[in-house]
Amino acid sequence: MNHLSQFDKGVDSRHNVNRLRRFTLSEVAMGEVAVIGLGGMGRAIARNLVRAGLETVVWNRSAGPAEELAEAGALHVASVAEALRCPVAFSVLSDDTAFAEVFLDSGVLGQARPGVVHVNVATVSVGLARRAAEAHAAHGIGYVAAPVFGRVSVAEAGALNILAAGEPGLIDRVQPFFDAIGSRTWRLGERPEQANTAKVLGNYLIACVIQSLGEAVSVADAAGADPGQFVELLASTLFPGPVYSGYGSMIAQRRYQPAGFTTALGRKDLHLALAAAAGQAVSLPFGELLRGVFDQAIADGRAMDDWAVIAEQQPR
């Protein structure tokens, strides 16, 4: 789950809510949809599917988030197997380990409804994506990788950018659901790992920006320039867009709480990018530098701060 659109200024949540309310069940032949995993992103996705008028089933390890959504109109089920009886199931789990435990090592795929399409929204490794695709195919289950750019606030507005890869016919089937939760679907290939590769590389580039911004702001600050004004200059001229403006302002203000995306998750995604590059026999020299930066930030007790805190590894 990412961040790229966290700082978008043009999101009109009222427009998205109105669009969702016009979205009716008659437009979706599949009927029901499940959401498995109800962290901040999963809850936002499930809530928008409910608002779209879809019969939405939810499951979570802890009951609280599922009960909250049940009050909003979702159906809380007791097991993943029950959720996989829906024609379409989204999963929004934290990492490779969680995904493997719930879907690949539990035997639950053998209990799924024939023909179900499983949409994996999580940021997972390329290797896990391949393993998941093979396991689903062996059970006759459709599998689509659909990681997203956009933090929880963007998900709540129904404005995620969805990075989709898998069989085109499967993506066609779930596109109406994507329309209910996102502003654009980017079709990136027929192999699910292609979407996961794009996602981890996008996160890698954000980490590179944070590191370089931290260096530049440190020098500007030491020279007597106002850090906030310096960041505004960069974001308004050379580097317009949400990453420089959003993360730049956090760095200038040294404001790393509340965390929209933690340092621990940032290090995890950096390692995924390094592994993806190694799998293609490509080196990421800057990524190796970042590995040390993230490790030091976590050793300094900043694991639960926003990952923009890696800028603090630069001397002030």
Side-chain angles (χ1 to χ4, degrees):
M1 299 157 225
N2 201 291
H3 354 294
L4 189 60
S5 299
Q6 179 205 15
F7 305 104
D8 284 354
K9 303 301 183 182
V11 172
D12 183 343
S13 61
R14 292 172 299 174
H15 169 77
N16 282 285
V17 168
N18 288 336
R19 173 173 57 81
L20 295 174
R21 286 174 177 164
R22 291 196 299 270
F23 191 91
T24 65
L25 276 173
S26 63
E27 297 174 80
V28 185
M30 289 80 81
E32 292 181 308
V33 58
V35 180
I36 300 166
L38 301 172
M41 184 65 70
R43 286 197 302 274
I45 288 172
R47 195 172 294 277
N48 278 337
L49 292 169
V50 170
R51 288 175 179 168
L54 297 168
E55 297 176 4
T56 304
V57 166
V58 294
W59 177 88
N60 195 58
R61 287 183 189 270
S62 57
E67 291 171 353
E68 173 190 327
L69 282 160
E71 293 177 358
L75 175 63
H76 177 197
V77 295
S79 68
V80 174
E82 289 179 83
L84 288 178
R85 292 172 190 160
C86 292
V88 174
F90 283 73
S91 65
V92 196
L93 302 176
S94 58
D95 54 26
D96 283 27
T97 299
F99 185 89
E101 287 178 353
V102 172
F103 291 104
L104 305 183
D105 302 329
S106 64
V108 74
L109 295 182
Q111 305 172 54
R113 170 180 177 150
V116 62
V117 180
H118 178 190
V119 179
N120 182 10
V121 180
T123 300
V124 298
S125 69
V126 172
L128 189 281
R130 291 180 181 138
R131 181 186 169 200
E134 292 169 0
H136 284 71
H139 287 87
I141 298 171
Y143 182 73
V144 173
V148 299
F149 284 147
R151 293 197 184 186
V152 172
S153 60
V154 179
E156 289 170 344
L160 293 167
N161 274 275
I162 300 165
L163 286 57
E167 293 180 18
L170 296 179
I171 299 177
D172 288 342
R173 281 183 59 188
V174 300
Q175 185 62 56
F177 299 101
F178 288 161
D179 292 341
I181 67 173
S183 61
R184 179 167 178 178
T185 300
W186 301 80
R187 298 195 179 204
L188 299 176
E190 297 189 14
R191 292 178 287 115
E193 70 264 23
Q194 291 172 296
N196 296 112
T197 299
K199 173 61 190 294
V200 299
L201 290 176
N203 283 12
Y204 169 69
L205 289 173
I206 295 173
C208 292
V209 168
I210 292 170
Q211 172 67 16
S212 60
L213 267 172
E215 295 173 4
V217 170
S218 293
V219 176
D221 192 17
D226 176 79
Q229 186 179 49
F230 176 62
V231 166
E232 183 181 4
L233 168 67
L234 295 178
S236 299
T237 56
L238 300 177
F239 306 109
V243 174
Y244 273 85
S245 61
Y247 287 108
S249 66
M250 294 174 71
I251 292 167
Q253 298 170 28
R254 306 181 73 170
R255 171 178 49 82
Y256 308 114
Q257 286 288 345
F261 190 73
T262 66
T263 307
L265 289 174
R267 181 173 69 168
K268 182 263 292 185
D269 284 3
L270 171 65
H271 288 181
L272 295 183
L274 290 168
Q280 300 299 324
V282 176
S283 64
L284 297 178
F286 202 58
E288 293 298 336
L289 181 151
L290 284 169
R291 189 198 301 269
V293 171
F294 273 99
D295 288 348
Q296 187 59 54
I298 289 175
D300 290 345
R302 313 306 292 265
M304 301 312 295
D305 283 338
D306 195 280
W307 66 332
V309 79
I310 65 170
E312 295 295 323
Q313 299 305 312
Q314 303 303 319
R316 292 283 179 177

